[in-house]
Amino acid sequence: MAIEQYGILDTAPEPAFDRITALAADLFNAPIAILGFIGAERVFFKSHHGLEATQAGRGDDPAVPVMMPWLRAEFTNGFHTGTPLHDPDGYELGTLCVIDRRSRQVDEQQLRQLRVLGGIATDLLAMRLAARRALAQAEITASEVDHRAMNSLQFVASLLQLQGRASGSPEATQQLRAAANRVLAVARVHRTFSTRETAGRVAIAAHLRRLCEELSTSVGGEIRLEGADEFDVPKEQVLPIGLIVNELVTNARKHAGDPITITFHRLAGSDYEICVLDEGPGLPAGFDVTATAGLGLGMKVVGALAAQLQGKLTAHPNPVGRGSCFKVIFPVA
């Protein structure tokens, strides 16, 4: 149906439409005015001045106004007049009608004013449709940008990996591989944005699960996700979360080996907690993640990302009795 593209059916009252019915009732000195939009089986009252009802059954006879059967049944001895609302292609979208419980006469000027108010209602619908189309186009454009950015990042990562394999220095090879992994971590987030329909939020458990699978392949080890709560986080938090996991997993794989476990929870208060745990030799003596010197680039990156989330990075022994646990706690956005 033509009305469906406007997204108006079964929506909450809006002041702009309520002002139209209030003015229509006032112009006719009538107690009731209705602005209704035609659905498949009923007429939805977007605004119903002076009436509790929110919808009416529609008639099926194309030669009779859709609300006429309901009006005749509800206001047998009363008065009602209305003006149809059409889209630019001529399809009937709804009606603006004025109702009184007693018989009365109206003049041509009042009917002309009612038609003007109906035109204002269709203008509001047109603006609504334009806004919906603009939003849809913006979402498509954003998705295309994310997709192109993802492809570009993957290309850069491939170049870094090729350069690493061509390097004659083991240290340079390791650094280039780490840089490629960081670029790929950003690319994974862009892929999430371009392939998932979201309203500004991302299902974090599904995202982390997919990230673990890809990291298992890239680092050549066992990366598992345990006990991740199923909830959504804002898009702006997904990138730092993914990069934190990438850095901590890469670091754990280098220093501790398999297995590596990731957990993500929402705490009792208003914070999230993400942990990366390994079962390796544990933290070195005197290790301090808050130190300004002595940390590798990866830990500095994690500290900066935790600060970006307005959170805090800490390091502890793994509760299982061996290995280490790196934890970031940050507030819900």
Side-chain angles (χ1 to χ4, degrees):
M1 295 183 64
I3 191 64
E4 293 177 350
Q5 63 182 323
Y6 294 89
I8 194 80
L9 296 177
D10 297 316
T11 55
E14 297 178 39
F17 293 107
D18 289 340
R19 284 192 286 268
I20 291 174
T21 54
L23 184 55
D26 188 57
L27 287 171
F28 283 79
N29 194 25
I32 301 170
I34 293 173
L35 179 60
F37 295 108
I38 304 169
E41 299 178 351
R42 61 192 172 91
V43 178
F44 164 66
F45 296 168
K46 178 62 177 176
S47 180
H48 43 101
H49 179 85
L51 192 69
E52 293 296 326
T54 60
Q55 65 180 30
R58 56 165 293 177
D60 296 324
D61 186 350
V64 177
V66 291
M67 283 189 59
M68 189 59 69
W70 179 81
L71 289 169
R72 287 172 176 169
E74 294 292 325
F75 304 95
T76 306
N77 300 316
F79 157 84
H80 44 78
T81 186
T83 182
L85 310 178
H86 294 97
D87 71 2
D89 296 321
Y91 292 103
E92 187 174 359
L93 303 175
T95 181
L96 173 62
C97 61
V98 178
I99 304 169
D100 201 340
R101 297 187 183 277
R102 60 183 177 85
S103 297
R104 56 184 300 171
Q105 297 293 324
V106 297
D107 57 39
E108 179 57 35
Q109 182 179 3
Q110 288 175 308
L111 295 176
R112 185 169 61 253
Q113 291 169 331
L114 186 65
R115 288 193 290 270
V116 170
L117 288 176
I120 294 173
T122 55
D123 288 344
L124 289 173
L125 277 181
M127 290 188 290
R128 186 188 193 95
L129 180 60
R132 285 169 60 85
R133 287 175 172 171
L135 178 61
Q137 184 58 49
E139 290 176 348
I140 291 172
T141 301
S143 178
E144 290 176 350
V145 169
D146 282 327
H147 183 73
R148 292 177 183 178
M150 177 189 70
N151 289 340
S152 297
L153 290 167
Q154 289 178 326
F155 178 69
V156 172
S158 297
L159 291 178
L160 290 170
Q161 290 170 336
L162 287 172
Q163 187 66 39
R165 286 194 288 269
S167 174
S169 166
E171 182 178 354
T173 298
Q174 181 179 342
Q175 293 298 327
L176 289 167
R177 185 181 296 117
N181 286 336
R182 292 185 179 108
V183 173
L184 285 173
V186 178
R188 292 184 192 105
V189 175
H190 280 282
R191 181 168 58 197
T192 296
F193 292 167
S194 61
T195 59
R196 294 178 61 86
E197 293 293 331
T198 60
R201 304 182 72 85
V202 172
I204 191 62
H207 176 68
L208 290 176
R209 194 172 296 113
R210 186 167 54 254
L211 178 59
C212 286
E213 293 172 356
E214 295 177 351
L215 284 173
S216 294
T217 301
S218 64
V219 303
E222 180 186 0
I223 316 296
R224 58 196 184 196
L225 178 67
E226 293 184 357
D229 296 335
E230 295 288 349
F231 53 83
D232 296 343
V233 301
K235 275 187 173 182
E236 59 268 19
Q237 289 188 325
V238 176
L239 179 56
I241 289 172
L243 293 177
I244 285 171
V245 170
N246 181 81
E247 292 296 334
L248 290 177
V249 165
T250 302
N251 192 63
R253 184 69 179 85
K254 176 182 177 182
H255 297 288
D258 297 334
I260 299 169
T261 303
I262 300 168
T263 65
F264 193 103
H265 299 290
R266 182 165 183 170
L267 303 179
S270 58
D271 291 335
Y272 294 130
E273 176 191 88
I274 186 166
C275 297
V276 175
L277 307 100
D278 65 66
E279 298 180 18
L283 299 171
F287 181 81
D288 182 6
V289 293
T290 64
T292 57
L295 295 178
L297 176 61
M299 293 309 302
K300 292 178 180 177
V301 169
V302 174
L305 292 167
Q308 181 180 332
L309 291 170
Q310 299 181 2
K312 183 179 180 180
L313 168 67
T314 57
H316 317 272
N318 190 327
V320 301
R322 59 187 181 280
S324 57
C325 168
F326 289 86
K327 179 187 302 183
V328 176
I329 296 178
F330 58 96
V332 175

